[in-house]
Amino acid sequence: MGIEIKTVGIIGAGQMGNGIAHVCAASGLDVRLNDRDPDRIEAGLALIDANLARQVQKGTLSEEHRRSALERIAVARSFDDLGPCDLVIEAATEDEATKRKIFQALCPSLKPDALVATNTSSISITRLAASTDRPDRFIGIHFMNPVPLMQLVELIRGIATEDPTYESAKAFIAKLGKTSTMSEDFPAFIVNRILLPMINEAIYTLYEGVGSVESIDTAMRLGANHPMGPLQLADFIGLDTCLSVMQVLYEGLADSKYRPCPLLVKYVEAGWLGRKSKRGFYDYRGETPIPTR
């Protein structure tokens, strides 16, 4: 039997972390939001408030529900404040060394039966679990971006993840009103194993001069019926995250087809990371995004 999850801790108040906090609080769970940068917590809470207000305007949420959801989110100034949580989800930057340090520092603050999860989109769950004191209670819970809108959540078991941990995580996702799919612990799991090589190939298509940013995105929107073009999507995800996932695939599977495009590397080195830095394959500094190539 798994444990019932009533209180959720979230480490990282950025794009993914505040989205996870949003859906947990809106589903009636108590949330404790942690980030090493206090300003990021305040920005995350403001964004959650704005997104909940947008739901009220659309008629999908009542004003009373919005207020009660906000009241269920508390700020966790330290890992000790996450002690009462039934589940703690790490949603920090997509860097394995950073995540391992977080888990090593976190675990002494948790109660013995607490579950620990990572929102990683590509890194080995088994390796991350080995940096904790509870690999049997560790699991990958990969939410899609933007969390409040996307229906799917990937659940990834490490080699030591026990059945009750998986069942608890599956019940947790169901309580959020989302659909879970189970992936084996291979590099990038299911969604990014398929999606990121497509994006990388689109960048190669740009790099080799086959088409411009605008023509590539238009071709895939209208020719393949994609809701947004692959280069626009890369900017939305973050080019640094795209590069990180491709590096995990390239190193983990040792296949040249996963080699990150040199143009992607160059953009990341330039700090052109997409929407979050106001410049990527599009320039977002004006009223309308303009292709950069």
Side-chain angles (χ1 to χ4, degrees):
M1 282 288 292
I3 66 168
E4 183 181 0
I5 295 167
K6 297 179 179 179
T7 304
V8 180
I10 298 164
I11 299 173
Q15 190 173 37
M16 296 304 296
N18 73 61
I20 298 167
H22 174 151
V23 297
C24 288
S27 300
L29 299 171
D30 291 327
V31 175
R32 299 193 173 199
L33 184 60
N34 169 270
D35 197 292
R36 64 181 180 180
D37 184 352
D39 291 341
R40 193 174 296 164
I41 294 179
E42 294 306 316
L45 291 172
L47 185 57
I48 292 168
D49 190 8
N51 287 338
L52 288 168
R54 192 175 294 114
Q55 287 182 289
V56 173
Q57 290 173 353
K58 290 181 178 178
T60 59
L61 199 70
S62 69
E63 176 60 26
E64 183 182 0
H65 196 160
R66 181 192 74 85
R67 286 197 303 268
S68 63
L70 286 172
E71 289 170 0
R72 281 192 285 270
I73 304 174
V75 174
R77 301 292 178 189
S78 70
F79 287 163
D80 285 343
D81 292 339
L82 300 176
C85 294
D86 304 307
L87 167 68
V88 176
I89 303 172
E90 169 274 317
T93 185
E94 191 70 354
D95 175 75
E96 183 170 344
T98 299
K99 292 178 186 295
R100 291 173 71 92
K101 287 178 183 177
I102 288 172
F103 294 130
Q104 289 165 357
L106 168 70
C107 286
S109 299
L110 301 181
K111 57 187 182 181
D113 63 342
L115 305 183
V116 179
T118 175
N119 185 58
T120 182
S121 58
S122 60
I123 300 168
S124 167
I125 304 304
T126 297
R127 286 204 308 270
L128 291 177
S131 64
T132 75
D133 62 357
R134 60 195 74 203
D136 56 322
R137 293 180 173 272
F138 189 94
I139 192 167
I141 301 180
H142 178 215
F143 289 86
M144 305 295 133
N145 184 32
V147 180
L149 298 180
M150 299 296 280
Q151 181 66 24
L152 182 73
V153 179
E154 285 181 313
L155 295 178
I156 309 98
R157 298 176 67 150
I159 195 170
T161 306
E162 292 187 347
D163 289 344
T165 301
Y166 173 73
E167 293 301 330
S168 294
K170 189 175 179 181
F172 163 66
I173 297 307
K175 190 167 187 176
L176 301 183
K178 296 188 179 296
T179 301
S180 62
T181 187
M182 207 277 279
S183 169
E184 294 297 330
D185 188 18
F186 283 93
F189 319 133
I190 295 173
V191 173
N192 283 333
R193 171 76 177 265
I194 297 168
L195 177 64
L196 264 297
M198 184 201 74
I199 290 174
N200 193 53
E201 191 63 27
I203 300 169
Y204 266 115
T205 304
L206 177 67
Y207 177 62
E208 294 167 2
V210 178
S212 66
V213 168
E214 194 167 22
S215 62
I216 291 166
D217 276 353
T218 299
M220 293 307 291
R221 278 199 311 269
L222 303 184
N225 204 28
H226 290 191
M228 66 172 70
L231 302 176
Q232 182 188 5
L233 179 57
D235 276 357
F236 182 75
I237 293 169
L239 302 191
D240 52 341
T241 300
C242 292
L243 177 58
S244 176
V245 174
M246 289 309 302
Q247 288 170 332
V248 167
L249 282 166
Y250 187 45
E251 293 165 9
L253 298 173
D255 191 324
S256 61
K257 73 180 180 180
Y258 298 116
R259 183 171 72 97
C261 179
L263 184 60
L264 173 59
V265 175
K266 184 178 290 187
Y267 270 52
V268 172
E269 288 176 344
W272 292 17
L273 308 181
R275 294 182 70 93
K276 60 187 173 185
S277 66
K278 304 293 185 183
R279 192 182 294 186
F281 292 111
Y282 292 85
D283 189 326
Y284 300 91
R285 293 173 295 176
E287 290 185 14
T288 305
I290 300 170
T292 52
R293 292 178 78 90

